Amino acid sequence: MKYDLIALDMDGTLCNDNKIIPKKNIEAIIEMQKTGKKVAVSTGRPESGILPFIKELQLDKFGGYVMSYNGGRIYDVKNKKILYNCPFPKEYLGEVFDIVGKSSMTVSTPIDGKIFAGNSLNEYSYAEAEIVKLPFEFTKDFLSLDIEMNKLLLIDNPKVVEKYFPVLKERLEPNLHVFLSEPYFIEITPPNINKGHGLHTLSHITGIPVAKMIAMGDSFNDVEMLKEAGLGVAMANSKEGVADYADLVTVSNNECGVAEIIRKYIL
């Protein structure tokens, strides 16, 4: 069976370990788009955090999509239009700070063009800003920020994250969705917002059935997407346990697993 759309996680999937998209992946993605098949980059980042990659893949030319904030927002690259947006319910900010307010954990929110952060600074605080190449602004008045948020990203040493993750999950779910994307990242999104939900939203937008979609990922925040897609593909470099939710495992991000899957199941 051939598929009509591929949803690709960024780090550890589309990009190699040097945070670069290998030439083979770029060539395969452009080739599939020329046949009318669609590409969606599925990421926890804001759209502004992946603009250089979008240009490389020519999503603006062929009409691709960005599923940003782990499916909380869907952006039409060609028409520069937000097609779906689910803001973070800010009434829960106070409860998040009640739980982690006395810890060393950084509470941050990425928006287009900047990352705002509060509560505390630690050795991992700037990790996301360095990955997405966005300015980082720390404020003592995080709770008073008059901005629309789509998610919270809590950052600290993995030992601290391990301590607070079960507490946050128990206190905040089901009103919010709490999950790990890296050992040093806790992500908190609106309820039911995840990359799997994003596939269904994209299906309503494009008319492409989820059963005709491929999803590829390597980390914990990709699990829902791998489970929901018609074909869920885990990378050989996936975090432990992620491959259990996939239909198959391809070669690693450094070996151009994306290109391999496109040529086998789309072209």
Side-chain angles (χ1 to χ4, degrees):
M1 175 171 153
K2 295 293 183 179
Y3 295 84
D4 295 331
L5 181 147
I6 190 165
L8 300 167
D9 169 58
M10 286 283 300
D11 300 304
T13 302
L14 179 59
C15 296
N16 60 24
D17 288 348
N18 294 321
K19 308 296 183 184
I20 296 170
I21 306 177
K23 185 179 179 180
K24 287 184 179 179
N25 285 352
I26 295 173
E27 290 173 346
I29 287 169
I30 291 174
E31 188 176 342
M32 67 168 278
Q33 290 180 106
K34 286 181 178 178
T35 70
K37 302 299 178 73
K38 294 297 182 181
V39 177
V41 177
S42 182
T43 177
R45 306 181 188 186
E47 299 92 63
S48 56
I50 62 167
L51 287 177
F53 300 101
I54 290 172
K55 292 178 181 178
E56 279 190 286
L57 301 176
Q58 298 185 26
L59 299 191
D60 53 340
K61 177 180 179 180
F62 293 104
Y65 302 91
V66 176
M67 291 166 46
S68 57
Y69 302 113
N70 294 303
R73 194 152 82 181
I74 295 181
Y75 180 71
D76 179 335
V77 179
K78 184 175 184 178
N79 296 304
K80 298 180 180 179
K81 184 178 180 182
I82 296 172
L83 304 178
Y84 171 80
N85 184 54
C86 182
F88 184 87
K90 293 173 75 173
E91 62 267 26
Y92 293 106
L93 279 177
E95 190 167 359
V96 172
F97 272 77
D98 283 345
I99 298 169
V100 303
K102 294 181 180 180
S103 74
S104 58
M105 192 170 287
T106 299
V107 179
S108 68
T109 185
I111 63 170
D112 283 323
K114 183 178 285 189
I115 293 176
F116 284 102
N119 192 56
S120 185
L121 290 172
N122 59 67
E123 59 183 318
Y124 292 84
S125 298
Y126 295 90
E128 175 75 351
E130 291 170 357
I131 291 170
V132 301
K133 309 301 182 188
L134 289 178
F136 180 95
E137 181 177 323
F138 184 84
T139 175
K140 294 181 179 179
D141 299 317
F142 189 92
L143 288 170
S144 301
L145 286 174
D146 187 21
I147 57 171
E148 181 180 87
M149 304 174 181
N150 284 84
K151 73 168 187 176
L152 294 182
L153 184 63
L154 279 55
I155 314 168
D156 210 334
N157 183 290
K159 290 184 178 179
V160 177
V161 167
E162 186 178 355
K163 174 184 176 181
Y164 281 94
F165 175 64
V167 180
L168 287 160
K169 200 167 182 66
E170 182 179 354
R171 286 271 300 272
L172 299 176
E173 291 192 343
N175 296 316
L176 297 170
H177 181 43
V178 183
F179 59 96
L180 292 173
S181 55
E182 295 289 346
Y184 45 88
F185 285 161
I186 299 174
E187 303 206 28
I188 306 177
T189 64
N192 302 315
I193 291 297
N194 56 62
K195 291 185 179 184
H197 174 271
L199 288 187
H200 287 279
T201 305
L202 193 59
S203 177
H204 288 302
I205 290 169
T206 63
I208 298 172
V210 175
K212 295 284 285 181
M213 296 180 179
I214 297 174
M216 297 185 67
D218 73 299
S219 197
F220 310 117
N221 62 333
D222 299 315
V223 165
E224 290 92 349
M225 180 170 73
L226 299 179
K227 290 164 62 177
E228 292 297 318
L231 182 67
V233 181
M235 309 301 292
N237 52 283
S238 293
K239 303 288 191 301
E240 185 177 355
V242 171
D244 295 342
Y245 299 94
D247 297 301
L248 60 91
V249 178
T250 188
V251 297
S252 77
N253 60 321
N254 293 321
E255 299 170 283
C256 304
V258 167
E260 180 173 289
I261 293 298
I262 288 172
R263 298 201 178 280
K264 186 171 183 179
Y265 292 99
I266 294 180
L267 293 174

